[in-house]
Amino acid sequence: MQRCGWVTQDPLYLAYHDREWGVAQRDTRALFEMLCLEGQQAGLSWITVLKKRENYRAAFHQFDPQAIAQMDAADFDALMRNSGIIRHPGKIAAIIANARAFLEMEAKGEDFSDFVWHFVGNVQIVHHYPDYSQAPTTSEHAIALSKALKQRGFKFIGPTICYSFMQACGLINDHQSNCFCHPGNQKA
């Protein structure tokens, strides 16, 4: 079975590649979680974050924005002592800020899933790269999403993070054209 060249033989990575990455995700909570986790990746490899994902879910109330938004200074201090997550003060603060920004969007009647998918015209963009290294690290869609998220108060959401988020959540499908997960290789 041919997979994208970035995948290692780590079972966690294989499962992530085969079942999640590039699959169109429209669940609001799952999108929020992935945006927060992609921000944690900044400067690190994705496998580092992926191996800590369950710890993040436990530490951040299964990515319930309402519960995260209620976190206070004592919670922040506890998170900074939590060796199961990446203990970067800016990244931890970003998850809390993102939950508050998310709730503010909801309060204004803005559905997060609809908002995110709007940047790709509500249709998955499918690229055809024979090698994963040919895929870009950002795009006009990611730049626009980053700018709009920043205007709403989100943190750790630059264009590169937004592009990774869009790939992860299937807004953009960048599976290599020879990968069995590429839509062109799927049997109807």
Side-chain angles (χ1 to χ4, degrees):
M1 196 173 345
Q2 182 69 39
R3 289 184 172 90
C4 295
W6 56 264
V7 183
T8 68
Q9 291 304 306
D10 184 300
L12 189 63
Y13 224 15
L14 289 170
Y16 173 73
H17 171 271
D18 294 356
R19 297 186 201 121
E20 281 186 71
W21 194 74
V23 175
Q25 177 61 259
R26 293 187 183 265
D27 179 79
T28 298
R29 174 89 60 93
L31 289 166
F32 173 72
E33 174 182 338
M34 191 56 71
L35 184 67
C36 291
L37 290 175
E38 287 290 349
Q40 301 302 293
Q41 178 189 355
L44 303 169
S45 67
W46 177 244
I47 192 67
T48 300
V49 176
L50 193 59
K51 287 180 176 181
K52 294 178 179 286
R53 179 160 60 172
E54 290 307 318
N55 296 328
Y56 272 99
R57 287 175 173 162
F60 288 97
H61 309 284
Q62 304 302 313
F63 285 93
D64 174 358
Q66 195 75 43
I68 296 170
Q70 300 301 317
M71 295 178 105
D72 59 18
D75 295 313
F76 183 87
D77 291 342
L79 290 166
M80 285 297 295
R81 292 188 303 274
N82 184 340
S83 63
I85 65 172
I86 296 158
R87 294 177 286 182
H88 181 288
K91 291 180 179 184
I92 291 171
I95 293 176
I96 298 168
N98 291 350
R100 292 174 181 158
F102 176 95
L103 293 174
E104 193 172 314
M105 284 178 69
E106 274 192 344
K108 293 177 179 175
E110 208 168 7
D111 179 80
F112 190 70
S113 180
D114 292 343
F115 166 78
V116 167
W117 277 91
H118 163 79
F119 289 90
V120 292
N122 212 28
V123 176
Q124 183 183 64
I125 296 170
V126 178
H127 290 140
H128 301 275
Y129 301 114
D131 185 279
Y132 75 98
S133 65
Q134 295 172 323
T137 57
T138 191
S139 70
E140 63 187 52
H141 305 94
I143 292 166
L145 175 59
S146 173
K147 183 177 178 182
L149 287 168
K150 285 177 185 175
Q151 289 172 342
R152 285 163 177 78
F154 284 80
K155 309 287 183 205
F156 266 87
I157 42 81
T160 301
I161 289 170
C162 284
Y163 193 80
S164 292
F165 163 76
M166 294 172 102
Q167 289 174 309
C169 294
L171 287 89
I172 295 173
N173 190 312
D174 275 346
H175 281 284
Q176 289 178 193
S177 54
N178 65 346
C179 176
F180 83 96
C181 292
H182 190 278
N185 300 325
Q186 302 292 310
K187 295 186 178 172

